[in-house]
Amino acid sequence: MKIGVICNVNAQRVSRGISERIKSILKNRAVVVAETKSIQELVDVIDKNFKTVDLWCFVGGDGTIGRGINYLWYKSGMKDEIEIPILHGKAGSLNAIPDKIPLKGDLDDIMIRFRDLLDSMKDGSSIPRDNIRKFSTIKLHIKGFERPILCFTFFMGVPFLISKKIVENRLKSKAKILQTIYTIIARFVIGEEGKDKFLKKIKAEIFVDGQKYPYLQHYVVLGSVFREPALFFSPFAEVDKYKHGFFFFVYSGDVWTALKNFRTYATGKKRPPHSFSDIASEVTIKAYNAGINHDGELLESNTNILEIRAETGPIVNLIKV
């Protein structure tokens, strides 16, 4: 099995000499170990080695693997499943995707376990089923973009601004990032005013499977990969308090189950159904003066209106070791 490794040297936890370390662990199994500084360099490496590499590893954060998955999907014909196995080299800031697989330990730990897995396999065999986690992606059709964007999570409004603030401040630890997120949300929930409160009200029309959400004004449009304390903050339980419009929506884990929950609340029901058969398949958003964050990648809107259609994307095969 021929391995291709792409290291994003701009990622937060990628240290100097990363490629040599990976080569020393994987040895001759890695036919490609490249360090890249831009999306175009990543694309060039995949183009050059697409036909010879059997498995790709992207060393960086959620944005790095997102870029890699998007281009592999495009190169493989934009099918319903990206069949080539992918290993996440856990070296970003939050590393939300590895937490979902899960991948424990640091990059060296993962690479050593991956090498041991390869050593246990017979020549020519594929990655064992128990070491593959199949994940649905979200396919975002953004007006003005040539082709869709695949991602695991996306969010707008306040979470977008939180992400932007984190990038600007270059926070160094996961603890500080999570503390910043919770502090900002808490300020909003409590209603504290002040210059540090960078909540903004945006206007957006939202449809789930053709059913319109009743509010136009939103303080939060789409939620993301926050941990449980934020996930379970639900203003839908206090409709009168938020009658002018409030929307906090989780896009993580089983994405379309989250959509089912949203549709339940939007139609005035108190509890979502227990069945997993009632899962939404499409969301359409027309947001005014708002940006978007997909898997940690910030995308500012270059127009006054950002039009997005989100639907179930292809399956990806992520390696668990």
Side-chain angles (χ1 to χ4, degrees), residues 220-231:
V220 179
V221 177
L222 290 180
S224 66
V225 292
F226 299 149
R227 300 302 187 262
E228 285 77 5
L231 292 179

Side-chain angles (χ1 to χ4, degrees), residues 94-107:
L94 279 177
N95 295 309
I97 297 170
D99 287 348
K100 293 176 185 299
I101 296 173
L103 285 176
K104 299 187 181 298
D106 60 18
L107 175 61

Side-chain angles (χ1 to χ4, degrees), residues 78 83 87 133 181 187 195 210 238 257 262 283-284 294:
M78 301 172 75
E83 295 180 352
L87 177 66
R133 293 291 180 268
I181 290 171
R187 280 178 179 163
K195 64 179 181 180
E238 303 175 81
T257 301
F262 160 72
V283 173
T284 303
H294 55 94

Side-chain angles (χ1 to χ4, degrees), residues 11-14 59-64 88-96 98 172 174 177:
Q12 184 168 341
R13 300 184 188 178
V14 172
V59 178
D62 297 327
T64 304
H88 194 313
K90 184 178 170 184
S93 52
L94 279 177
N95 295 309
K172 297 299 182 183
K174 182 183 290 190
I177 291 171

Side-chain angles (χ1 to χ4, degrees), residues 54-318:
D54 302 311
L55 183 156
W56 286 97
C57 171
F58 297 99
V59 178
D62 297 327
T64 304
I65 193 171
R67 299 291 190 181
I69 286 172
N70 270 273
Y71 197 63
L72 286 176
W73 179 57
Y74 170 69
K75 287 287 289 185
S76 56
M78 301 172 75
K79 299 176 183 177
D80 291 338
E81 181 170 354
I82 304 171
E83 295 180 352
I84 188 168
I86 297 167
L87 177 66
H88 194 313
K90 184 178 170 184
S93 52
L94 279 177
N95 295 309
I97 297 170
D99 287 348
K100 293 176 185 299
I101 296 173
L103 285 176
K104 299 187 181 298
D106 60 18
L107 175 61
D108 284 11
D109 296 329
I110 293 167
M111 286 298 170
I112 290 169
R113 294 199 305 268
F114 178 52
R115 178 201 63 198
D116 293 344
L117 171 65
L118 296 175
D119 288 344
S120 70
M121 294 164 47
K122 296 179 179 179
D123 290 341
S125 61
S126 57
I127 300 293
R129 184 180 300 177
D130 289 345
N131 293 98
I132 291 289
R133 293 291 180 268
K134 291 182 178 288
F135 285 87
S136 291
T137 58
I138 307 165
K139 187 191 299 182
L140 297 180
H141 301 266
I142 304 175
K143 190 172 183 178
F145 280 61
E146 182 180 353
R147 59 177 181 259
I149 293 175
L150 303 184
C151 58
F152 294 93
T153 62
F154 80 92
F155 40 97
M156 299 172 65
V158 174
F160 169 81
L161 293 176
I162 293 171
S163 302
K164 187 175 181 182
K165 190 77 171 179
I166 289 170
V167 170
E168 290 171 351
N169 288 346
R170 296 184 179 276
L171 299 178
K172 297 299 182 183
S173 70
K174 182 183 290 190
K176 286 186 178 180
I177 291 171
L178 292 175
Q179 183 181 21
T180 302
I181 290 171
Y182 292 141
T183 300
I184 293 160
I185 293 177
R187 280 178 179 163
F188 172 63
V189 175
I190 296 170
E192 179 184 331
E193 298 292 334
K195 64 179 181 180
D196 292 330
K197 182 179 177 183
F198 47 90
L199 274 271
K200 71 172 182 179
K201 186 184 291 186
I202 68 171
K203 180 182 177 183
E205 299 173 42
I206 303 170
F207 296 82
V208 177
D209 283 354
Q211 190 169 20
K212 189 173 183 179
Y213 184 68
Y215 299 137
L216 287 178
Q217 300 293 334
H218 312 276
Y219 289 103
V220 179
V221 177
L222 290 180
S224 66
V225 292
F226 299 149
R227 300 302 187 262
E228 285 77 5
L231 292 179
F232 291 114
F233 170 65
S234 179
F236 297 103
E238 303 175 81
V239 177
D240 290 339
K241 184 176 179 181
Y242 299 101
K243 61 185 177 181
H244 297 299
F246 184 100
F247 181 38
F248 184 82
F249 179 44
V250 178
Y251 242 97
S252 63
D254 185 344
V255 172
W256 306 110
T257 301
L259 282 176
K260 173 193 69 176
N261 295 347
F262 160 72
R263 184 168 56 187
T264 301
Y265 294 126
T267 54
K269 298 177 182 177
K270 293 183 179 180
R271 294 182 180 178
H274 292 292
S275 170
F276 283 91
S277 60
D278 182 31
I279 296 177
S281 59
E282 184 177 305
V283 173
T284 303
I285 302 164
K286 183 183 289 186
Y288 302 84
N289 300 312
I292 183 172
N293 177 318
H294 55 94
D295 291 338
E297 297 292 293
L298 298 177
L299 175 66
E300 297 275 11
S301 175
N302 56 5
T303 63
N304 290 331
I305 302 176
L306 185 64
E307 295 188 52
I308 302 169
R309 180 167 57 87
E311 61 183 9
T312 306
I315 299 291
V316 294
N317 291 281
L318 299 183

